[in-house]
Structure formats: structure tokens, C-alpha cells
């Protein structure tokens, strides 16, 4: 299987992208990796590259602050766009990027294209839970406004991803809502409830934001606006608490000593809360495997994204989604 | 000024409600408090009541799990409904309840009524910030779906509340959104941005959920669905982190000792995160002062709610909102 890596995306590109690719290529010999980016800048890290790693020169780069749609349309030779084109033209089966999220979603939509029958692809990171299993949340920002039908498709795609990539047998799908009772919610969630209930998924009903961290479901669906609020509130609250704790812990000599004793536990715990530890976010509904790695990814994170893409390919993620969606449409017609 | 207190609402009613009223009556002699509830059950705590406290018997109670609209319509002699009726009939200037939130909002809407020109009253608790000033957030659950015009009214009411009750000179009003740029958001926030920008408030633009805890604004507006997700995610993340920390801290004898050293600081910090510490939530847009205290309120929290109601009355909160809203309508016509 062939996986294209946008070597120029992310805060530490291209170094960590190349190093991560080398680590992955060493570990999985059945994978062929194509690093797309500035050949000159990649070169210093490629001296010991194994035979299943190639470099493909692309002379443009999409920056973190580029306006997504314009950048993808104009920079036709950007590393991200070239990687996307490889997937569309079946020269690669999957692509990975740690670059501009908006531009990557645009690349997915405009360059690679959607699976037939999917109205809106959704970005689906795994959010941290206390039990360490995480919860796949979608959509987290690809589409601000959603219809009930979109939420159903998110549920189906998320469920298939959890099965195929994480090996969860009968993933519990929840609808993010303001209460657990069936009649709760806004117009969108009230209308989506019935669709999800009758959908080809293991729907466990409404779930409240406050219970998500307890691991009440394996997949949670919401529109992209609400998903963004959820993710950013988690991040803001966690980082606010952590910085305030740090202040408490450095108040006196005694508290500094005490904090030193607790430090290893705290670090392990901080890692558990860090959703970037759970791997990249798949952009589900695109006609190819597309993994968004966090901008702050290190080589280890890039390697993990390759692992994710590899499992998704081995277990035929895209064709499973396609089959399920077309089956649903056949029933309708 | 006369303040009616629903003596039967909340987890520890009527004891804490009565004790809280007594504390308030001792402190503020210009306040007359009317405790509405089961006379027999209030009696044991009323023996030393000062002269500015009265009890008014009401023989029904709205329970925490009662269906709000039905309960308010049918239980005409419930303590909450009687208190609401007193406000409508100008026998009281304000009311306080720690009971069923949905029923209290229904009491506000159906029994007391809205300020003329207000389309949707909004529930407005203060959420914790790291600087301790908090941020007044509305709407937090009164109306699931909002129009751009509703968000503008939330901004105006929240701004007046922060000025009148918290003494903030020129409150910064933010629009909860997925990014800070003007064109960001869903259909609702995109349309609301222009209205807020031209409104009679100090609008500081879009604010992201992750920055709220940093105290980037004094008032934040959003629809009730999103507000609920925001509040519950904050609660869930904070309590998740706290329980996980507890596990870390009790792992070994050393960590237990270390945690003991840090305990006072941690408790102070936990209090800072607890939004119930910031007082009750006003239900803004109702034609009378209505304060929702948390269900878990103790006597101290009830006393604080009286303080809030008293300041709101002294500073003519309701007529200020009414004047501002009618001025806006005059300009329009």
C-alpha cells in the first residue's frame, strides 16, 4: 500500500515528517511511503532512507495562515495538493498531513472528492476519556451547520471507523445533547434522534457533554460548530487548570517539594488528557484515507499516523463506508 | 424592597433556604424577605427570625424531576409559582429559587412575563475565569435555538447586568465562535456579528471557547444549546481532572504526603473553578428580578442570592433593560 505524506505541513516540518516516515518504513515493510515536499530541505534527513521511502519534489507550501480555499486553488504544486492529487489519481491509497486544517479539508473535498452518497465529510479526532479509550467525535469543524441526515452519516462513518481501525465490536454511538431524554435538544438534535435510532448503528441515545470524559460512548456526533466548542472548551479548561495548578505548586518551598514527588504521575496524567496522543484525526467521507496530524506533531506522531492509515487500508475503511451508505440509499429508493 | 424566596426549592430545602434568609435579613435591614413554602416544615428554623422575615404558606412543591410546563400550570399553589405570582402582582420586587430550573424559567415566562420588546429571556450564570472575575454567559439553556436578534438582546441584557450588578464600567461583550476572524462561524453567528457590532454595547468580536477562562470578555453570548455544551464540558473536564488527580495523589505513601501539603492550595483552587461560588444565575428579560440559585446551595449561597437581588433592585436592573430595549425599537421605527 502506498501512503503520501505532506512533508511540509506542521510546526516542525520537514524534519519530523521525514524522521517519522523513516521510523514507519522501518517498522512496516508492506508500506511504501512517498514524502512530498521541498527536495533540498528534505535531503539532510533522508541519507539512511530504507527502500520503501521515496521523495517527490513539490516546490510550493501552504502556510498555516493561508486562506484554505484560495491556497488550494492557487498553489497547484503545494506539497499538500500534490499528495491529494496522488490519492485522486490512485498513485497513493492514503495521505497524511500535519498542515493547515482548513486547507487539508479543502484538499479532501476539491482534489480527492467525496465518497458517492456522502453529503458532508466530517473531521473526527479522538477526544480523551478517563478510561483511556477515548471517544471519536465528529464533526469537529468541517461543516459548521449540519442537517439531521448529516448527523446520521457521521454516526455511520464514525461507527465503521471505530470497528475497522480500533477493533471495537459494536461501537456505541451517542448524540451530543443537553439532556439524555429523547425529547431534549434543539431542532437539529430532535430531528436527528429518530434517524439515528433507526440507523444501521448501535445508537445509545443522547449523551451530555459532562459525561463524555467518563467514556459513555465510543462515537459522539454533533454539528461542526458545536464540536468545535466542545473541543476548545475541553482544551481551555484543561490547560487553565494545569496552569493554575502550576501556580499553586510553586507557591512555597514545601509545595515545590511536594509537587516534585507528584511530578511523574502528573506528567502521565497530562499525557492522558492530551488528545494529540490519540493519533491523527481521519477526515471521514473522503474517497481515500486522509489523516490530519496535529500541527505540533513530532516524528512519533507522524509514525502513528502511518500506523492509522495502514490499519484503515488493511481493513478497507473507505469501501466499507461506501457499501454501507449505498445500501442505505438502496433501501430508500 | 421585598424579595420572595421559594423556600422549598433545592436539595437542602427548606432548612438552608430559611437559614440563608435569616442571615440576609440580619445583614440588610432595608430588605423584606418573604419565605414561601410549607409553614410546618419551615417553622423549626424560624424561631429567632428578625422582623424583616415573613413566612407565607404554600402547600404544593415542584419536584426536581417534574415536567416544567405541566408542573407550573397544574401546581398553582406550589411555592415557586406563588413566589412568581407575588412578583407579577407587585407584592414582591424579586424572587429567588434553588428549585427545578426548567420550572423556574417557565414561572418567569408564564407567571411573571417578559419585559416588553424582549423576545427571549436568557439564563445567565457567571462562569469561572482564572482571574476570578468570571464571565457572564447567556443563554445557558432557556432557549435551544436562537436568532441573530436574540443574541443581540442577550448582549444588551448581559452588558447592563454586568454594569448594574457587578459595577463593571464598560463590559466587554464577546460572541462565542469557532475563530476570532469576522467571517468565521455558522449561519447564526455570521448573521449576529453585524448586529452586535452595531449594537449599543462594547462588542469585542468573536471569542473562542478555549480563551474564555483567560477572562477575554465580561459577557459572552451564544444560543442555549451551545451554552449548555459549553457549561457541561467545563464541568465535565474539571471534575474529570479532579478525580483523576485524586487517583494520582493516593497512589503511594509519598504521594499521599505530598498531596497533604498541597491540599489547602488545591481546595482554594477548586473553589475558584466552582461556578456556583459566583452566585446565582439571573434570568434576564423577565419583568422582575429572578435569581436561580444552584440546587446544591447552602445557606451562604442563598444569602448571596439575596445580595445579588438587592443590588439588582437598588440599581434598577429591570427598568434599565426595558429603557435600552425600547430605545432600540424607537430607532428602528
Amino acid at each position: 500500500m502506498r501512503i503520501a505524506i505532506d512533508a511540509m505541513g506542521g510546526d516542525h516540518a520537514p524534519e519530523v515528517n521525514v524522521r517519522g516516515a523513516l521510523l514507519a518504513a522501518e517498522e512496516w515493510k508492506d508500506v511504501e511511503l512517498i514524502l512530498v515536499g521541498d527536495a533540498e530541505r528534505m535531503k539532510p534527513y533522508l541519507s539512511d532512507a530504507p527502500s520503501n521511502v521515496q521523495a517527490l519534489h513539490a516546490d510550493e507550501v501552504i502556510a498555516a495562515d493561508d486562506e484554505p480555499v484560495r491556497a488550494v486553488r492557487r498553489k497547484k504544486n503545494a506539497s499538500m495538493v500534490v499528495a491529494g492529487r496522488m490519492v485522486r489519481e490512485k498513485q497513493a491509497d492514503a495521505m497524511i498531513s500535519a498542515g493547515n486544517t482548513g486547507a487539508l479539508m479543502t484538499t479532501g473535498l476539491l482534489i480527492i472528492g467525496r465518497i458517492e452518497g456522502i453529503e458532508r465529510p466530517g473531521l473526527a479526532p479522538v477526544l480523551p476519556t478517563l478510561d483511556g479509550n477515548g471517544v471519536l467525535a465528529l464533526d469537529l469543524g468541517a461543516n459548521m451547520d449540519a442537517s439531521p441526515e448529516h448527523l446520521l452519516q457521521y454516526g455511520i462513518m464514525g461507527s465503521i471507523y471505530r470497528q475497522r481501525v480500533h477493533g471495537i465490536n459494536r461501537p456505541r454511538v451517542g448524540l451530543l445533547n443537553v439532556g439524555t431524554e429523547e425529547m431534549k435538544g434543539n431542532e437539529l438534535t430532535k430531528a436527528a434522534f429518530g434517524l439515528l435510532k433507526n440507523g444501521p448503528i448501535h445508537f445509545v441515545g443522547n449523551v451530555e457533554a459532562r459525561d463524555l470524559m467518563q467514556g459513555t460512548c465510543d462515537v459522539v456526533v454533533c454539528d461542526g460548530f458545536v464540536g468545535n466548542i466542545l473541543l476548545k472548551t475541553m482544551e481551555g479548561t484543561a490547560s487553565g487548570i494545569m496552569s493554575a495548578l502550576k501556580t499553586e505548586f510553586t507557591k512555597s518551598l514545601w509545595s515545590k517539594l511536594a509537587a516534585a514527588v507528584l511530578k511523574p504521575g502528573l506528567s502521565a496524567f497530562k499525557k492522558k488528557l492530551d488528545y494529540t496522543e490519540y493519533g491523527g484525526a481521519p477526515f471521514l467521507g473522503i474517497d481515500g484515507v486522509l489523516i490530519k496530524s496535529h500541527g505540533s506533531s513530532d516524528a512519533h506522531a507522524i509514525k502513528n499516523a502511518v500506523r492509522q492509515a495502514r490499519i484503515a487500508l488493511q481493513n478497507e475503511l473507505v469501501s466499507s463506508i461506501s457499501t454501507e451508505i449505498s445500501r442505505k440509499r438502496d433501501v430508500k429508493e
Side-chain angles (χ1 to χ4, degrees), chain A residues 230-279:
Chain A
L230 171 73
L231 177 69
K232 301 273 179 75
T233 309
M234 277 184 152
E235 279 183 12
T237 309
S239 85
I241 291 179
M242 286 308 183
S243 79
L245 279 179
K246 212 170 166 183
T247 312
E248 283 304 330
F249 289 177
T250 49
K251 265 188 174 161
S252 71
L253 180 61
W254 280 109
S255 63
K256 274 183 203 164
L257 283 171
V261 172
L262 295 170
K263 205 177 173 195
L266 283 176
S267 304
F269 166 68
K270 211 174 161 183
K271 226 170 170 175
K272 209 167 159 185
L273 276 185
D274 182 359
Y275 76 104
T276 66
E277 287 287 320
Y278 287 78

Side-chain angles (χ1 to χ4, degrees), chain A residues 139-303:
Chain A
D139 168 44
L140 258 68
N143 311 289
M144 288 299 118
D145 294 287
S147 71
E149 179 71 25
H150 298 156
L151 294 189
L152 172 60
Q153 292 198 338
Y154 295 160
I156 294 171
M157 295 192 292
S159 186
I160 293 174
Y161 187 84
R162 288 296 255 177
Q163 267 173 292
R164 297 271 161 168
V165 177
H166 296 150
I168 297 172
N169 188 19
R170 215 167 144 246
R172 297 159 301 161
V173 179
L175 172 63
L176 186 63
N177 211 331
V178 301
T180 52
E181 305 89 335
E182 177 162 350
M183 72 284 188
K184 286 272 180 176
N186 57 10
E187 283 171 28
L188 172 64
T189 59
K190 281 182 195 166
F193 192 97
L195 286 183
L196 287 158
K197 203 172 159 183
N198 296 314
I201 49 171
H202 176 32
F203 182 53
V204 295
N206 292 324
V207 294
E208 288 200 68
R210 121 175 97 201
D211 301 324
L212 271 187
M213 260 191 130
Q214 308 297 329
T216 44
C217 54
D218 303 301
V219 177
V220 65
V221 299
C222 56
D223 68 57
F225 186 90
V226 166
N228 179 285
I229 301 299
L230 171 73
L231 177 69
K232 301 273 179 75
T233 309
M234 277 184 152
E235 279 183 12
T237 309
S239 85
I241 291 179
M242 286 308 183
S243 79
L245 279 179
K246 212 170 166 183
T247 312
E248 283 304 330
F249 289 177
T250 49
K251 265 188 174 161
S252 71
L253 180 61
W254 280 109
S255 63
K256 274 183 203 164
L257 283 171
V261 172
L262 295 170
K263 205 177 173 195
L266 283 176
S267 304
F269 166 68
K270 211 174 161 183
K271 226 170 170 175
K272 209 167 159 185
L273 276 185
D274 182 359
Y275 76 104
T276 66
E277 287 287 320
Y278 287 78
F283 191 31
L284 296 175
I286 294 298
D287 194 14
V289 171
L290 199 170
I291 306 287
K292 166 72 179 92
S293 286
H294 204 267
S296 64
S297 290
D298 57 11
H300 178 70
I302 299 292
K303 181 190 162 189

Side-chain angles (χ1 to χ4, degrees), chain A residues 81-144:
Chain A
V81 176
V82 172
R85 214 150 45 217
M86 291 182 74
V87 175
R88 189 191 58 196
E89 291 165 4
K90 311 291 177 204
Q91 291 161 15
D93 307 298
M95 80 170 275
I96 292 165
S97 176
N100 183 320
T101 307
L104 186 59
M105 294 192 294
T106 306
T107 298
L109 289 167
L110 300 188
I111 308 289
I112 308 179
R114 292 168 296 160
I115 293 172
E116 208 190 318
I118 292 290
E119 294 177 29
R120 301 280 172 89
L123 192 65
V126 173
L127 304 182
T129 58
L130 294 173
D131 60 13
N133 293 327
V135 52
L136 188 87
L138 74 169
D139 168 44
L140 258 68
N143 311 289
M144 288 299 118

